[in-house]
Amino acid sequence: GADEYRKRAQAFVDEISAPDRKIYIVEDNPILPAHIKDYMIHPLNIFTTKKPLLPTRKSMLEKSQNFYETVNNINGLTFIRSLDAWCPIDECLIADDNGSLLYYDDNHLSVNAGGRFLVEKVLKPYLDEQILQTKEIIN
């Protein structure tokens, strides 16, 4: 349950905490209701296959609400929310602006486009913050 998860996560964060250490948890990408290939082969099978639906922003918010509340109550933890990047409009993304697939299957990211999307759209602000703080310490 959520309480048990929060207690265990809090104990873990407390155990690994240090004054010079920041601890992050990154929200997972949406899980597709079908394998990525099913989204791609649909045009070839329009008479036999219905196109699978994409996860929606609303459905992801509903599924994640308890998780958001739980992680936001863990002291010393920074929660990196990724929903805005994955689901900037009603339907969540399966490809980047160049048309490269973000997924390898139904939930794992593709090595190149998916990983790059995660770093650039979700993690970059936090990485930039760390770089700035490191430069301030050096100077």
Side-chain angles (χ1 to χ4, degrees):
D3 286 339
E4 185 64 24
Y5 177 86
R6 190 199 58 72
K7 286 177 189 173
R8 288 181 183 211
Q10 185 65 67
F12 179 71
V13 168
D14 292 345
E15 183 178 325
I16 65 172
S17 289
D20 61 340
R21 183 179 296 155
K22 289 189 175 189
I23 302 166
Y24 299 91
I25 187 169
V26 181
E27 180 180 18
D28 202 2
N29 53 282
I31 296 174
L32 303 178
H35 194 285
I36 192 68
K37 69 179 179 182
D38 295 332
Y39 294 91
M40 301 300 105
I41 64 171
H42 170 69
L44 302 175
N45 297 320
I46 60 171
F47 299 111
T48 61
T49 306
K50 288 187 176 182
K51 183 178 180 181
L53 298 175
L54 292 170
T56 64
R57 182 177 179 81
K58 181 180 177 185
S59 70
M60 296 308 300
L61 281 169
E62 289 170 358
K63 287 180 184 177
S64 301
Q65 193 57 42
N66 287 342
F67 180 71
Y68 293 157
E69 291 171 8
T70 301
V71 296
N72 284 327
N73 287 311
I74 299 171
N75 297 321
L77 179 73
T78 299
F79 175 55
I80 300 176
R81 187 170 157 167
S82 66
L83 183 67
D84 294 337
W86 291 108
C87 308
I89 54 175
D90 185 45
E91 288 185 333
C92 299
L93 302 174
I94 61 169
D96 65 15
D97 293 338
N98 298 321
S100 299
L101 296 177
L102 299 174
Y103 288 84
Y104 171 77
D105 53 22
D106 64 337
N107 68 332
H108 295 96
L109 299 179
S110 61
V111 174
N112 292 319
R116 190 172 43 253
F117 183 89
L118 177 66
V119 170
E120 291 174 2
K121 303 290 185 179
V122 178
L123 301 178
K124 189 175 183 319
Y126 298 91
L127 296 171
D128 289 347
E129 176 185 321
Q130 289 301 104
I131 291 169
L132 285 174
Q133 289 177 358
T134 302
K135 285 181 179 178
E136 289 175 6
I137 292 170
I138 293 172
N139 293 332

